[in-house]
Amino acid sequence: EQTAPPKPEQAAPPPVEQTALPKPEQTAAPKPAEQPAAKPVSAARRLAEPEKPGPIVLPMELVSGRPVIRLMVNGKGPYAFLVSTGAQTTMIDQKLAVELALKPPVPEKDKPNAGSNGNGTATPNAKENANGNAKENKEAKDNKDKKPVPLLELDLEAGTTKLAKVPVLATDITAFVAEAGLAGRSRGVLSLSAWKDHLVTISFPPKFKVTIEPGTLPEPNGEDVFPLDPESGELRLSVKVADQSIACRVEPLAPGGLQMPEEYLKRLLLDGPPIELGTTTVANQSVTIREARLAYSAMLASFELVNPVVRFVGAGDSPTAGSQALVGLSISYDLANNRARIVRLPPPEKK
């Protein structure tokens, strides 16, 4: 038997030594720079910092077709004040001024001890002033009719809003309220000129209020921003009725809707026969007031007035857009720049 020769033993290969790879060094991320802690503001500093002026909102209502604000006068009242865009100053009825014993502030030169040295003895300058005052008094006496009426300084309040030291003229305001009737008889006229450097917005129903806030209007564009008349300060626009374009003034103080001379009764298509409301005096003549609704809409600049009510009065009065024609609109007045803006208010939300 032949046996297979033994296979030669093969030596196992030497083990390969594995050396660990060096781990990449991880550097810590740089810490963000520490922000200095805000210094606490002291209560005294917070009180000393002036607050940003917010809007002043005065609630308004329609009385006999005229916008009225109820105001407290020096803590008494409230009294009804008409809102006027054209009046140069705020006015109060003379009878109410007497009733409330309102007096103008005493000028500095007329105050006791004015010009004295503290012990009641007049100084040389005071004597010179006295001589000068005597001369001024004589001139004032000679020009009594030209002497300006002193203004009152009154505190007016409406709700939580207080207007301090408002210049007010005590005068006969029957010319403003002669046609308002007893229910609409107001005791004063609130002029927007008291806030000449602010933006004053009159919002008509459904949002009936006056808002006073800082701001200005952009340049007039003929669409929603218009210039005010440089002489009267009134907003004058055109009303388009059918094929006629009629120049008119926008006056929130005027009652009713559109007001036109009586000649337009025959020139406009009405929805029905006019109704007689009574009489008034125009140019020392008694004229009849008639009112009717147009059979079609009118355009006040670019704003539609749907079938507006028109009041026909006299022959010489210029056409006017009154408070009832402005329902659903707001008018912002920038008296410092003689501009006004009209905005269509959104319809009230249905409950």
Side-chain angles (χ1 to χ4, degrees):
E1 293 181 1
Q2 293 182 351
T3 59
K7 294 180 179 180
E9 296 180 359
Q10 294 181 355
V16 179
E17 294 183 1
Q18 294 182 354
T19 58
L21 297 175
K23 295 181 179 181
E25 295 182 1
Q26 296 182 352
T27 58
K31 295 181 179 181
E34 294 184 0
Q35 299 289 338
K39 295 181 180 180
V41 180
S42 65
R45 182 179 175 185
R46 284 197 301 269
L47 291 174
E49 292 178 349
E51 296 183 2
K52 294 183 178 180
I56 298 173
V57 180
L58 303 177
M60 194 164 55
E61 59 188 277
L62 272 182
V63 178
S64 296
R66 299 167 186 260
V68 167
I69 291 179
R70 306 283 177 179
L71 294 175
M72 302 287 290
V73 179
N74 287 359
K76 298 180 181 179
Y79 302 99
F81 276 67
L82 294 170
V83 180
S84 174
T85 58
Q88 297 300 313
T89 184
T90 297
M91 293 174 280
I92 190 171
D93 187 58
Q94 285 178 338
K95 294 181 180 179
L96 180 58
V98 173
E99 180 183 330
L100 299 180
L102 303 176
K103 296 181 179 180
V106 180
E108 288 293 332
K109 64 178 182 178
D110 295 336
K111 290 184 178 180
N113 297 329
S116 71
N117 55 14
N119 59 6
T121 304
T123 60
N125 288 338
K127 293 179 180 179
E128 293 176 3
N129 291 338
N131 294 333
N133 289 341
K135 184 178 180 181
E136 290 177 2
N137 291 337
K138 186 177 183 302
E139 293 177 355
K141 187 176 181 180
D142 295 338
N143 300 282
K144 185 177 180 180
D145 296 337
K146 299 180 181 180
K147 185 177 180 180
V149 179
L151 295 178
L152 306 172
E153 288 185 356
L154 305 182
D155 293 336
L156 307 179
E157 296 179 60
T160 58
T161 299
K162 183 175 181 179
L163 311 173
K165 294 185 177 181
V166 178
V168 178
L169 175 66
T171 185
D172 183 8
I173 65 167
T174 54
F176 294 90
V177 297
E179 304 168 15
L182 185 61
R185 195 61 55 86
S186 299
R187 308 303 300 274
V189 177
L190 182 64
S191 170
L192 301 190
S193 63
W195 302 279
K196 187 174 182 180
D197 297 326
H198 289 69
L199 202 60
V200 182
T201 301
I202 301 178
S203 301
F204 296 88
K207 297 181 179 180
F208 209 34
K209 60 185 178 179
V210 175
T211 306
I212 306 159
E213 57 190 333
T216 58
L217 293 178
E219 292 284 342
N221 55 21
E223 296 180 0
D224 60 344
V225 182
F226 308 93
L228 298 177
D229 185 78
E231 296 183 1
S232 65
E234 295 176 333
L235 176 58
R236 296 180 178 271
L237 301 174
S238 62
V239 173
K240 292 184 179 179
V241 183
D243 58 345
Q244 302 185 57
S245 181
I246 307 169
C248 79
R249 61 188 183 96
V250 179
E251 177 51 81
L253 182 61
L258 292 176
Q259 181 172 303
M260 297 185 181
E262 193 172 4
E263 62 182 274
Y264 284 93
L265 263 173
K266 300 179 180 179
R267 296 168 57 179
L268 301 177
L269 182 60
L270 305 179
D271 191 36
I275 301 173
E276 291 190 7
L277 301 180
T279 60
T280 186
T281 302
V282 177
N284 296 325
Q285 292 184 353
S286 179
V287 296
T288 302
I289 304 173
R290 295 179 175 86
E291 191 173 79
R293 185 178 295 276
L294 292 183
Y296 33 66
S297 296
M299 295 295 294
L300 178 65
S302 58
F303 298 89
E304 183 181 10
L305 308 179
V306 180
N307 299 99
V309 174
V310 181
R311 182 170 293 184
F312 302 93
V313 183
D317 288 355
S318 60
T320 302
S323 56
Q324 292 182 12
L326 305 174
V327 171
L329 302 175
S330 72
I331 305 179
S332 299
Y333 291 87
D334 179 1
L335 298 182
N337 296 299
N338 283 329
R339 300 168 189 165
R341 178 173 59 197
I342 302 179
V343 174
R344 172 73 67 183
L345 296 172
E349 297 180 358
K350 296 182 179 181
K351 295 182 180 180

